[in-house]
């Protein structure tokens, strides 16, 4: 039914009195609905001016399994290999912590014997620096290969990525022994997935001023050279560990 212009029906007049009540009810409902649902979204939006906070990277624990070269023999603690490398990793923002497992005088057999104990710290990666004392004592290279191979096998079984450091035998033991000794590291270095540092004392061994009075252990200046050279490899080790599923 048409309503003449300028006139209202009684129903329309009554509805006009209800409009303020209807409007207030709708407003109350809209205020009660969560913001995200009112906007058609399944989740509520973050408050204005705030961004999602990224989760920090997990800290990678690196086992430094070695002998006196790792342990920093003859040096103040803060000048040793582990402390200096830790400082370099911190400076690079690597989010990595070194676990000092260097024992002065240790041979490859000694490192193997205490490996399970060292693994009690649950490392995510490992640096293996052993063999120098095998060479100094003229021990059988074949037995050294067995020991080092067993260490690498154990770490591989646990999916722990490794930076393996090589060594040369002292020249006074003769060329045949030196070749057999070195070939051990050359063979082991070819293992799949292994990061390899060919010579831990590279650019330091035999250099006056870079070694202590015994001529065998690095002085602070020598440690600095070693750490500078090896840090990029350790950073690569950290990244490898980060990409390896946690056990």
């Amino acid at each position: 039914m048409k309503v003449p212009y300028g006139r209202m029906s009684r129903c329309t007049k009554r509805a006009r009195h209800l409009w303020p009540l209807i409007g207030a009810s709708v407003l109350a409902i809209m205020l009660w609905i969560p913001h995200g649902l009112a906007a058609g979204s399944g989740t509520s939006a973050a408050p204005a001016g705030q961004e999602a906070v990224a989760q920090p990277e997990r800290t990678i624990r690196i086992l430094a399994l070695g002998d006196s070269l790792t342990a920093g023999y003859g040096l103040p603690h803060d000048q040793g290999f582990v402390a200096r490398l830790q400082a370099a990793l911190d400076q690079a923002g690597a989010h990595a912590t070194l676990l000092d497992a260097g024992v002065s005088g240790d041979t490859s057999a000694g490192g193997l014997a205490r490996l399970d104990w060292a693994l009690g710290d649950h490392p995510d990666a490992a640096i293996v620096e052993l063999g120098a004392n095998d060479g100094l004592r003229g021990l059988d290279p074949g037995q050294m290969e067995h020991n080092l191979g067993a260490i690498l096998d154990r770490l591989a079984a646990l999916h722990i990525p490794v930076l393996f450091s090589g060594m040369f035998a002292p020249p006074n033991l003769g060329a045949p022994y030196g070749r057999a000794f070195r070939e051990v590291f050359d063979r082991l270095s070819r293992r799949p997935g292994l990061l390899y540092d060919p010579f831990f004392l590279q650019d330091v061994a035999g250099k006056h001023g870079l070694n202590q009075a015994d001529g065998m252990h690095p002085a602070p200046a020598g440690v600095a050279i070693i750490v500078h050279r090896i840090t990029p490899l350790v950073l690569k080790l950290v990244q490898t560990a980060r990409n390896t599923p946690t056990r």
Side-chain angles (χ1 to χ4, degrees), residues 28-224:
I29 292 171
M30 292 302 293
L31 290 175
W32 175 83
I33 295 174
H35 176 72
L37 293 177
S41 169
T43 58
S44 60
Q50 294 186 13
E51 297 180 358
V53 178
Q55 292 296 319
E57 289 186 312
R58 68 184 178 98
T59 299
I60 298 299
R61 295 163 63 82
I62 306 172
L63 177 68
L65 183 70
D67 48 37
S68 57
L69 300 177
T70 297
Y73 173 84
L75 298 174
H77 174 75
D78 63 351
Q79 294 298 311
F81 171 74
V82 169
R84 296 290 292 273
L85 179 58
Q86 182 68 67
L89 295 176
D90 291 345
Q91 186 174 11
H95 297 285
T97 297
L98 288 165
L99 307 173
D100 191 348
V103 174
S104 295
D106 226 357
T107 61
S108 59
L112 175 59
R114 60 187 175 87
L115 178 59
D116 282 341
W117 173 82
L119 290 172
D121 286 329
H122 306 292
D124 303 293
I127 299 170
V128 176
E129 177 277 305
L130 288 164
N133 289 307
D134 294 68
L136 287 173
R137 299 179 189 184
L139 301 181
D140 178 15
Q143 186 59 46
M144 180 178 72
E145 184 167 10
H146 168 78
N147 296 332
L148 292 175
I151 291 172
L152 297 178
D153 286 342
R154 178 82 171 108
L155 295 171
L158 294 172
H159 306 288
I160 296 175
V162 176
L163 170 58
F164 181 54
S165 197
M167 185 57 58
F168 286 95
N172 62 302
L173 295 175
Y177 181 87
R179 283 194 299 271
F181 185 93
R182 183 61 190 181
E183 286 168 1
V184 168
F185 293 94
D186 292 339
R187 283 192 294 269
L188 292 174
S189 72
R190 292 193 283 269
R191 291 190 171 208
L194 197 68
L195 289 172
Y196 185 47
D197 169 37
F199 183 31
F200 188 79
L201 295 174
Q202 181 181 328
D203 300 324
V204 175
K207 299 287 184 67
H208 180 71
L210 299 182
N211 291 279
Q212 299 176 47
D214 61 13
M216 296 185 295
H217 294 95
V223 174

Side-chain angles (χ1 to χ4, degrees), residues 223-242:
V223 174
I225 291 173
I226 294 169
V227 168
H228 178 76
R229 188 199 75 254
I230 208 171
T231 295
L233 283 171
V234 179
L235 290 174
K236 188 173 182 180
L237 178 68
V238 169
Q239 191 57 48
T240 301
R242 222 175 270 293

